[in-house]
Amino acid sequence: MAGPSAAGDAAAGANASASVVSGAGSPAATDAGLTTPPTAPATGGHAVAPAGVRTLGAAGNRALVAVLGAGALLLPAALAPVPVGWSVVVALVVIIWCLLVAGAGGTAQGGAVAFVRRRLGFRAARVVTGLYFAGFATGQAAVALTAGRFAARLWGDAFLWSVAVLLAAATWATYRPRPLSTPVRRLRLAAVLAAAGGWWALGGVPDTSASWWAVLPLLFGWVGVESAVPAGAVPQRAALAGTLLGVTGAAALYAVLLRPPAPLADLPLAPLAALSALTLALYCRTNLQATGARWHELTSRPQAEGAAAAATLALVTLTVAHLADGSTAVLLLLPGTATAAILTVVACAAVHTLTNRPKETSHDHDRHHRPLEGAARSRR
C-alpha cells in the first residue's frame, strides 16, 4: 500500500525519524499515558478510562503519520487501479507482522535497526541499515520521476524535470542539512493528502496497469511502520491497539486512493500538478537527507557525502529507467524489495530466541536512528 521511514528529516534522517514523516511522536510521549493507572468509572462499568482512550488515539495517530506521505501520491500515479485483493493482502501481512514484532518487545523504543541489533547482533543490524540506504536511495528515482511527470503537465520534458528535481533536492539536502520545521512537515503531509485526493476525484493518473507483482511496489507505502510498533505487553496493549487501528486506517485510505472513480468533468489541472510536483520534491529532499544519515551509520563519513552518494545512485537508476522505457511501477520494485527484506529481517529477529543478549556498546546509535520517509514519513 504505499516508507523509505523511512523518514524523517535530517534529524529524522537518521530515523526517518522515527517516523518518516514521522509525524509520529516520540516513544516517550507515547508511554506517558501508559504510566497512569486507569481510573475506574464512577458507574463501576468497564468503559475505557480517559487515559486509555488518549493512549489509543495517540498511538493510532503516530501509526498513520508513520506510513502516510509521498506514497499517497506516488502509488496511485504508478499503480492505479490496483485490484482490491492485493491491497488487502499487503495490509493483512503488515498487521500480522506488527503483532509478531509487538510480541517481541516492539520497535518503537529504538527503531528497526536497534531492534535487530539487540536480538540478532551488529552484523544483522548493519544489513538492515544497508537495505535502508540502497532501497531508499534508488526509491528517490521513482519519487523524482513522478514529480517530473507532474511538472511536465505544466511545461517541458518529464525526464528533464525529474533530473532537475533530484539535483535540487540533493543540493538542498547536502548544503542545507537542517530538518524541516514542524509546521512545514505538517503542511507537507496535508498537501500530499490533498493532492492525492484531488487526483483521485479526477479519476487518477495511472502510469501502468497493476498485476500480481504490484505487491512489492505497494510495500513502498508502508515504510515507517517497521520502526513504530509498540510492545504488546499488558501495560501497552492500548498503544498496540491504537497502532493497529492506525495501520487499518492507512490501509483503507490506500485502498480508496488506488481505486479512483470514473473521471469527472474537465477541470484546471495546472495548480494540482504544481502542488503535487513541489510536495514530492520536498519529500525527495528529506529522504535523501535521511539516507545520508544511514550512510554515516555505515561508514562514519559525513551525512552530506551520504546524501550526495544516494542522489548519484538515484540519478543512475533514473537514467537507466529512462533509457529502458521503465515505468514508475518498475522503479518501485527496488525500494519495495528492500522494504520486504527489512520486514523479513525484523520478523526473523522477533522469532529469534534470545540467549545471551548482545552487549550494548553505544546508545548513540539508538538515539539517532530514524526510519526513512521514502514513502511516507517526514520527521523523527
Side-chain angles (χ1 to χ4, degrees):
M1 294 217 97
S5 143
D9 269 301
N15 168 117
S17 130
S19 155
V20 194
V21 136
S22 189
S26 67
T30 348
D31 294 342
L34 301 175
T35 57
T36 303
T39 302
T43 59
H46 296 286
V48 179
V53 174
R54 288 196 299 271
T55 298
L56 185 75
N61 179 68
R62 280 194 304 277
L64 275 173
V65 174
V67 299
L68 292 181
L73 259 180
L74 198 59
L75 292 182
L79 300 172
V82 168
V84 175
W86 292 118
S87 299
V88 173
V89 167
V90 174
L92 288 176
V93 168
V94 170
I95 290 173
I96 293 172
W97 180 91
C98 286
L99 290 171
L100 175 66
V101 174
T107 58
Q109 293 299 321
V113 174
F115 178 82
V116 170
R117 190 177 73 244
R118 288 193 299 270
R119 301 184 68 85
L120 294 182
F122 293 96
R123 289 185 179 180
R126 286 181 65 80
V127 169
V128 174
T129 301
L131 287 169
Y132 268 122
F133 178 85
F136 296 113
T138 55
Q140 300 321 298
V143 175
L145 178 58
T146 305
R149 288 180 172 170
F150 281 126
R153 287 174 168 265
L154 304 174
W155 172 82
D157 179 77
F159 176 69
L160 294 179
W161 272 115
S162 301
V163 172
V165 166
L166 191 55
L167 293 179
T171 301
W172 190 3
T174 302
Y175 296 104
R176 300 283 293 180
R178 294 183 62 183
L180 298 178
S181 65
T182 299
V184 172
R185 285 194 303 269
R186 290 175 177 172
L187 182 61
R188 180 180 58 180
L189 180 57
V192 77
L193 293 177
W199 290 114
W200 176 85
L202 292 171
V205 286
D207 177 35
T208 184
S209 296
S211 57
W212 65 269
W213 56 264
V215 169
L216 283 177
L218 283 174
L219 281 175
F220 178 79
W222 287 106
V223 173
V225 71
E226 78 286 347
S227 291
V229 181
V234 174
Q236 295 178 301
R237 283 181 180 171
L240 176 59
T243 298
L244 295 178
L245 185 62
V247 168
T248 302
L253 177 61
Y254 276 127
V256 170
L257 292 176
L258 288 165
R259 297 295 297 179
L264 302 179
D266 189 24
L267 297 173
L269 298 178
L272 186 56
L275 175 64
S276 301
L278 177 60
T279 303
L280 288 177
L282 288 174
Y283 274 104
C284 185
R285 177 265 185 186
T286 291
N287 292 336
L288 287 176
Q289 192 174 357
T291 309
R294 299 298 190 185
W295 172 273
H296 176 70
E297 293 172 10
L298 287 169
T299 67
S300 297
R301 298 182 67 84
Q303 291 189 25
E305 179 184 293
T312 300
L313 181 56
L315 182 59
V316 171
T317 304
L318 179 63
T319 302
V320 171
H322 175 69
L323 295 176
D325 293 326
S327 65
T328 306
V330 173
L331 279 177
L332 285 174
L333 286 172
L334 298 173
T337 300
T339 302
I342 291 171
L343 295 180
T344 300
V345 175
V346 173
C348 290
V351 300
H352 177 69
T353 301
L354 289 179
T355 52
N356 296 316
R357 183 181 298 272
K359 182 180 179 180
E360 295 291 339
T361 59
S362 171
H363 296 289
D364 183 66
H365 185 284
D366 285 6
R367 285 197 299 269
H368 294 291
H369 165 69
R370 315 130 169 161
L372 285 203
E373 189 185 333
R377 283 190 183 178
S378 67
R379 113 198 223 258
R380 176 181 173 56

